[in-house]
Amino acid sequence: MPSAYTSLDLTPATDPAPTDLLVGGRPLLHRLDGADGADTVSPLTSDLPPVLRAERVRRLLDAGDHGLPGGRYVIHSCPDCDDPGCGAVTAVVERDGDDVVWRDFAWWTGPAVDLARDGYPGTGPYRFHGPTHRAVLLRLLDGTLRGTAPVPVGASRG
């Protein structure tokens, strides 16, 4: 039997705080307090160029190829370079029927993750209702979240 759903939403961008993911009503970064993730930002932040943000959103919507081994996806990254090799909070993002599950959160510097050493115990797994997950992320593509710009006309919405 599937586990209970976790709510997913976005915090609006307010200077100087960027957009962050609200998981279970709490900013995800706050769930990582005291960990290496404290010096990271969501790659979905409003200060990224819309095309770059759109690529990150499409990867989360697809729950397929995330560019990192093992189905891992960058959830929070270095605010200066957006390079996972610099250090990033990652999670396995996968589909389970219509649902989307984020699990095995860990600090990534590549090429692999040791969950015993680099994991965030007690963070996740989170099961999201697929249509709700999609609707929340699509708000970033169409600019309906305050402080975000829409994806340029003609850009793919995957």
Side-chain angles (χ1 to χ4, degrees):
M1 173 179 231
S3 60
Y5 289 124
T6 302
S7 64
L8 178 68
D9 207 347
L10 300 160
T11 62
T14 57
D15 288 332
T19 302
D20 193 12
L21 300 160
L22 285 177
V23 175
R26 188 171 168 210
L28 182 57
L29 194 57
H30 292 181
R31 294 178 179 275
L32 306 170
D33 279 347
D36 292 330
D39 291 332
T40 64
V41 296
S42 168
L44 306 176
T45 59
S46 63
D47 58 347
L48 287 177
V51 171
L52 180 57
R53 186 175 60 243
E55 177 60 29
R56 296 294 190 157
V57 171
R58 277 193 282 282
R59 285 182 177 179
L60 266 178
L61 287 169
D62 177 47
D65 176 21
H66 304 298
L68 298 177
R72 300 197 78 75
Y73 181 84
V74 174
I75 302 295
H76 287 90
S77 63
C78 173
D80 295 322
C81 65
D82 192 41
D83 178 0
C86 186
V89 175
T90 64
V92 173
V93 177
E94 60 192 3
R95 291 215 178 277
D96 182 12
D98 288 336
D99 297 344
V100 177
V101 177
W102 295 7
R103 63 175 176 81
D104 298 337
F105 286 78
W107 183 249
W108 171 279
T109 55
V113 166
D114 177 348
L115 288 176
R117 183 189 67 219
D118 303 320
Y120 292 100
T123 302
Y126 302 117
R127 175 176 295 276
F128 304 111
H129 179 249
T132 301
H133 182 268
R134 183 170 185 78
V136 167
L137 295 175
L138 286 173
R139 287 172 46 207
L140 286 169
L141 290 181
D142 67 13
T144 58
L145 181 68
R146 187 175 64 97
T148 64
V151 173
V153 175
S156 170
R157 289 191 178 233

